[in-house]
Amino acid sequence: PAIVSVSEEAAEGVVLTEAMTENIELINWTAARFEYGTNPLYKVEIVYNDGARQELASGMAAQKFSMAPSTLNSTLIALGCPKDAASDVQFIVTSYLEGEGAPQLESTAVTVTVTTYTPSYPEFLNVVGDFGGLSWGDTVATSPILKGDPNTGEYHGLISYYGATWGAKIYYLHPKSGEAQWVGGKPVEEGSITYSIGISIGDNIAPEAGSYVVYVNLGKGTMTLAPISSIGLIGSATANGWDAQTNFEYNAETGLME
């Protein structure tokens, strides 16, 4: 199996802060060796306090693993690590070959000490832009709201996106500083409805016209737009009774489901 070591960067422990932006290299490892096959792939898992393992990455060819500070912080809090305190967490690397029934080799766990911080996420986010008859000046008063959890930085809500020239961004006021935060995004790949988002990303979010359920994770820097394929009514007052819903139709000029 791979022999895993704590990286030089994390050897004395990692103290996370909200101001940190650069990825932190946590572990690295030697190449695993199998009796047959070459170029194994690697999976990284994390464990806290003998709890359930959580997979952090898989299908990796590289022999090192890094995480964004905010993602590491939210991951540790979700695992049960206390906020604003040091915790010992274990990392395990599993080496494997592709193919059904191919063997796997699991490494010995290594321990990294990480000090978390209490994240300052807002209670809600706004989706701001020049879509749906709105303007960039419509920040909080009229723009769509995404409700969420200020402890985890996860939010969701609904938007009706149409008639845009430039697109949209996520907007919120920083809970501590009160400064306006504008979060842009880039599709993870061409045509994708999942975006990598961040304050440093200047690109506007510009999906195809339609209605979406929006999922945002500020800690992980991701945003997913799930298209709503149908909205309808069901019941004795409708044409199809209780047997099937009667769908609304999307009006691209008004952005309404009618």
Side-chain angles (χ1 to χ4, degrees):
I3 300 174
V4 184
S5 302
V6 179
S7 71
E8 183 177 346
E9 186 176 3
E12 300 299 323
V14 177
V15 179
L16 299 172
T17 68
E18 201 162 23
M20 297 169 68
T21 57
E22 297 294 327
N23 280 13
I24 301 169
E25 184 177 318
L26 296 164
I27 57 173
N28 48 58
W29 55 89
T30 62
R33 298 178 62 186
F34 290 87
E35 291 183 3
Y36 62 91
T38 57
N39 302 323
L41 299 176
Y42 302 98
K43 175 177 70 175
V44 178
E45 296 175 296
I46 188 172
V47 182
Y48 171 65
N49 202 23
D50 295 325
R53 295 185 184 186
Q54 178 171 328
E55 183 179 304
L56 300 178
S58 63
M60 297 178 60
Q63 292 169 224
K64 58 183 179 180
F65 177 72
S66 303
M67 286 186 78
S70 59
T71 304
L72 177 58
N73 192 72
S74 59
T75 298
L76 295 180
I77 292 173
L79 286 173
C81 294
K83 300 174 185 176
D84 301 308
S87 297
D88 289 338
V89 293
Q90 287 71 49
F91 290 89
I92 301 167
V93 175
T94 300
S95 315
Y96 62 95
L97 301 176
E98 293 184 296
E100 186 176 351
Q104 299 185 359
L105 297 172
E106 185 177 293
S107 75
T108 301
V110 296
T111 300
V112 179
T113 302
V114 185
T115 301
T116 61
Y117 62 87
T118 300
S120 54
Y121 296 123
E123 182 181 353
F124 62 89
L125 308 176
N126 289 93
V127 184
V128 176
D130 62 350
F131 64 94
L134 301 171
S135 71
W136 289 98
D138 298 326
T139 51
V140 177
T142 56
S143 60
I145 293 175
L146 308 181
K147 288 287 291 180
D149 186 343
N151 291 312
T152 64
E154 297 178 271
Y155 304 83
H156 68 276
L158 302 171
I159 65 169
S160 186
Y161 185 90
Y162 67 99
T165 300
W166 297 104
K169 276 187 170 69
I170 300 297
Y171 170 90
Y172 66 93
L173 296 178
H174 193 283
K176 291 182 179 177
S177 67
E179 295 180 356
Q181 307 292 312
W182 295 86
V183 180
K186 292 182 178 181
V188 295
E189 59 185 33
E190 186 176 352
S192 175
I193 58 173
T194 297
Y195 291 76
S196 295
I197 61 172
I199 295 172
S200 61
I201 300 177
D203 295 21
N204 292 334
I205 298 159
E208 295 183 358
S211 295
Y212 297 91
V213 182
V214 183
Y215 301 94
V216 171
N217 190 314
L218 291 180
K220 294 183 177 180
T222 60
M223 173 179 179
T224 299
L225 300 171
I228 298 173
S229 59
S230 67
I231 297 177
L233 296 175
I234 192 168
S236 58
T238 65
N240 296 319
W242 290 104
D243 296 326
Q245 73 181 41
T246 300
N247 285 337
F248 290 93
E249 293 184 359
Y250 178 70
N251 186 327
E253 294 183 359
T254 64
L256 301 176
M257 303 294 291
E258 301 175 347

